[in-house]
Amino acid sequence: STALLNAVGAFRVNREGFALGPVRNAMRLIKEGRVVGICPEGEVRRDRLSVLRGGVTKRGACLIAQRTGCPVVPCVVLGTEALLWFRGYRMSKPCCLWMACGDPIRPPQAESRREGRRIMAGQIEEAMRGLHLELRRDIADSWARKRRAQLV
């Protein structure tokens, strides 16, 4: 799995404690003009701990945004459960994925950096929940249109 991560430009993050090395790596990549994708929950979540289901974000993405001045663009991807095969990813299995991206969220001015990260995390959570509802509605509308077209 490390070879796959390296091939797509990804890197592992130890989610226990503070991941200084990966944070520095992400900041370096951003300064080089690269895009860095981060799961705001600290990992891919599909359970009640998901931001989409009321969970909270960790503050790593907010810290990186503060330090680099780069905005966070919230994104939601639905349909990934079709890629799971016995708790592992099965990349060759065809499936439909839906993705929505929100407006960039810039680090806010606050009394302290910690307060700024707290505010920004709340903005990210709110944006992701809104995108999730919007995407689910769009998918339902799309399937309904497809079904109506089949009936005609």
Side-chain angles (χ1 to χ4, degrees):
S1 70
T2 301
L4 176 62
L5 289 175
N6 291 336
V8 297
F11 51 89
R12 290 189 179 278
V13 175
N14 179 354
R15 293 181 299 267
E16 303 299 322
F18 185 72
L20 183 60
V23 167
R24 285 183 176 159
N25 191 21
M27 291 189 318
R28 179 185 55 77
L29 292 169
I30 289 169
K31 289 177 183 175
E32 291 175 1
R34 310 260 312 266
V35 173
V36 177
I38 298 174
C39 298
E41 297 103 333
E43 60 185 298
V44 175
R45 302 299 310 219
R46 294 185 0 238
D47 55 12
R48 64 180 170 71
L49 298 177
S50 168
V51 167
L52 305 179
R53 292 182 173 81
V56 297
T57 62
K58 292 193 173 185
R59 305 296 194 258
C62 303
L63 172 71
I64 293 166
Q66 277 182 330
R67 298 264 173 98
T68 62
C70 189
V72 170
V73 178
C75 299
V76 173
V77 180
L78 297 181
T80 57
E81 63 278 356
L83 294 172
L84 295 178
W85 181 260
F86 296 111
R87 296 186 182 240
Y89 283 104
R90 184 176 170 196
M91 302 298 261
S92 62
K93 184 178 180 182
C95 69
C96 290
L97 297 178
W98 294 270
M99 182 174 171
C101 298
D103 295 327
I105 299 171
R106 298 205 171 273
Q109 296 296 319
E111 290 187 24
S112 69
R113 287 184 178 177
R114 178 173 285 176
E115 178 65 10
R117 289 190 296 274
R118 186 193 65 74
I119 292 168
M120 188 174 192
Q123 293 171 333
I124 293 169
E125 291 165 7
E126 183 179 332
M128 290 185 69
R129 289 180 191 128
L131 286 169
H132 181 241
L133 290 173
E134 182 181 316
L135 193 55
R136 288 184 58 183
R137 186 175 50 246
D138 290 349
I139 292 168
D141 290 348
S142 171
W143 282 106
R145 282 192 305 275
K146 184 184 258 185
R147 182 71 177 137
R148 281 193 300 270
Q150 290 173 346
L151 295 175
V152 174

